[in-house]
Amino acid sequence: MSVSPLSRLKEVAVSGRYSPKENFSISWQSPSNIALVKYWGKKSGQLPATPSLSMTLDKARTTTRVDVAFDAPRKGLLSVNGDPDHPFLPKMQMLFDWLSCGIPALNGITLHAVTSNSFPHSTGIASSASGISAFALCLLTISCRILNLELSGDELMHMASYAARIGSGSACRSLFAGYAVWGETSCLSGTSDEFAISSAAFVHPDMLTLHDAILVISGKPKSLPSTQGHQSMEGHPFFSNRIIQAGQHLEEALRALSANDFEKLCSVAEREALTLHALMMSANPGTLLMKPSTVEVIGLVRDGRKNGLPLFFTLDAGANVHVMYPDASSAEVEKYISEVLKPLCEDGRVIFDRCGSGPVMLNEPMPSHDCFSS
Ligand code: PMV
């Protein structure tokens, strides 16, 4: 693969082979992901301050269709779900503007996006990861089509990861089956700050069957947007140590995933989750996103583990708790979740998901699935 993932596309883009064609639509469905080693804090250029590692989800997906017109008078990305002021449009616009600098042909077309999530809003599932990765795939597929360029599946995911990062950092990890690593680290070859890589090759097969039950403690939108959260790491008194710790945690998590060492994964994932929240609490101003039920659920997850159940928790930047467990023990852990943890959730809401196999291109836009259980 080339050093600059977009160089081949750009080469064709400036060679002038582009000629307007018939209008068409492209649809992709892309999953969200949950970080086990967290990305929190960035360098300029939308680059991460630390490496991160995530598990790609299966059912929590965004389906996006982009309708392309060559003959409309106004050019550019004009609407999302028919709305020119859709709240998700600025992130998509950022990605579109960045990509169209390298691929000028994108400036000569009109785009309308239609997008829907398979999961309910404000449940602690990152819709920007699934939404931006789906949109990046649509834009690159559109570019290839109008430039008569064929890319292999791996090349497309690689480029989409590179581009998705511009709209939302964590989105660049959603392009791969199983697990993905984003951010340069000496403990894994091929890593980069500019795109994520698949870690499927060195993950034990049993780890590809992990489940993630998302316990909705609060359905309210989180009070700390991630852009603000990343910024709060600038000048943070603990940040230089956090950078060292994230590297060590990544190495530990990768070893646990390849050795199928569930206990080691529990330990590192829970330390990561608590560190993320500790960093937020100790920033200036400090932010407390956990609710009393978040803390109660964490205690009960640990009690369950003491009593022999294989499960651990992780948290995103919010109050909701992700409970992870192996497929082989799913019946007993899910019984514990339903009987003991679910009563602490808002309206008893739990979303059962698991490790997934990455994005798919659709011939027909599919209806969203329902992975919501109450
Ligand atoms: O991708 P962003 O800018 O929304 O940041 C994501 C940050 C966390 O979700 C808290 C952690 C992560 O690595 O996904």
Side-chain angles (χ1 to χ4, degrees):
M1 252 167 220
S2 60
V3 180
S4 165
L6 292 175
S7 57
R8 224 178 116 202
L9 251 185
K10 286 184 181 170
E11 222 173 86
V12 181
V14 293
S15 73
R17 270 199 267 148
Y18 156 66
S19 56
K21 301 188 180 80
E22 273 178 26
N23 298 347
F24 62 92
S25 299
I26 295 288
S27 300
W28 277 92
Q29 200 177 64
S30 189
S32 186
N33 66 73
I34 176 69
L36 298 177
V37 177
K38 311 291 182 183
Y39 151 57
W40 200 240
K42 51 174 122 179
K43 303 181 223 165
S44 64
Q46 187 67 347
L47 301 173
T50 66
S52 59
L53 164 78
S54 60
M55 185 180 90
T56 299
L57 295 178
D58 182 37
K59 294 184 200 161
R61 289 171 167 266
T62 297
T63 303
T64 299
R65 188 186 79 220
V66 178
D67 300 325
V68 179
F70 293 89
D71 46 4
R74 276 187 65 210
K75 308 293 180 195
L77 173 62
L78 299 188
S79 72
V80 177
N81 295 348
D83 181 357
D85 299 311
H86 192 277
F88 205 51
L89 202 110
K91 280 188 174 180
M92 293 166 84
Q93 188 69 52
M94 210 151 60
L95 168 54
F96 176 77
D97 291 346
W98 182 83
L99 211 49
S100 50
C101 282
I103 308 168
L106 283 174
N107 287 314
I109 56 177
T110 305
L111 299 98
H112 292 276
V114 178
T115 183
S116 69
N117 293 332
S118 65
F119 48 91
H121 189 56
S122 294
T123 48
I125 299 177
S127 60
S128 62
S130 51
I132 290 294
S133 54
F135 186 56
L137 284 164
C138 287
L139 288 183
L140 285 167
T141 312
I142 289 165
S143 306
C144 287
R145 185 140 161 196
I146 59 183
L147 296 167
N148 291 319
L149 185 66
E150 272 191 36
L151 296 175
S152 70
D154 283 353
E155 281 177 315
L156 181 65
M157 295 307 157
H158 180 54
M159 286 186 188
S161 178
Y162 189 89
R165 177 192 105 235
I166 302 300
S168 158
S170 54
C172 78
R173 298 185 309 232
S174 275
L175 283 309
F176 307 99
Y179 296 81
V181 173
W182 175 36
E184 206 174 322
T185 165
S186 56
C187 72
L188 190 63
S189 65
T191 50
S192 167
D193 284 350
E194 295 185 315
F195 50 85
I197 61 166
S198 162
S199 49
F202 29 81
V203 168
H204 188 283
D206 286 359
M207 287 289 184
L208 297 172
T209 67
L210 275 197
H211 289 247
D212 175 15
I214 300 139
L215 275 64
V216 183
I217 303 297
S218 167
K220 288 210 189 87
K222 57 186 180 191
S223 56
L224 181 71
S226 52
T227 311
Q228 221 173 298
H230 292 297
Q231 267 166 11
S232 74
M233 291 298 99
E234 288 164 22
H236 190 290
F238 305 146
F239 200 52
S240 52
N241 283 335
R242 165 61 190 159
I243 294 173
I244 299 167
Q245 184 205 41
Q248 292 164 344
H249 282 177
L250 181 78
E251 199 169 344
E252 220 178 301
L254 284 171
R255 269 207 224 110
L257 286 172
S258 70
N260 196 24
D261 188 338
F262 189 76
E263 264 175 50
K264 187 176 270 181
L265 193 64
C266 290
S267 157
V268 69
E270 292 192 353
R271 270 180 280 137
E272 269 295 302
L274 295 177
T275 299
L276 173 70
H277 282 256
L279 286 168
M280 291 185 227
M281 286 183 221
S282 51
N284 184 11
T287 310
L288 181 57
L289 295 180
M290 289 192 213
K291 303 277 181 216
S293 296
T294 311
V295 179
E296 212 174 325
V297 164
I298 289 174
L300 289 166
V301 166
R302 289 181 159 175
D303 287 350
R305 196 159 67 237
K306 269 193 215 126
N307 292 326
L309 283 178
L311 78 172
F312 67 87
F313 70 85
T314 186
L315 305 164
D316 209 352
N320 302 329
V321 186
H322 291 246
V323 176
M324 320 230 356
Y325 47 97
D327 189 49
S329 308
S330 59
E332 44 176 344
V333 176
E334 282 168 13
K335 185 168 182 285
Y336 186 71
I337 291 173
S338 300
E339 289 174 1
V340 179
L341 305 181
K342 192 171 155 162
L344 289 159
C345 298
E346 189 178 79
D347 303 323
R349 293 161 84 195
V350 180
I351 295 165
F352 289 99
D353 208 338
R354 60 189 301 165
C355 186
S357 53
V360 280
M361 190 173 166
L362 307 175
N363 294 326
E364 296 284 330
M366 277 163 44
S368 2
H369 345 158
D370 190 5
C371 53
F372 180 69
S373 127
S374 56

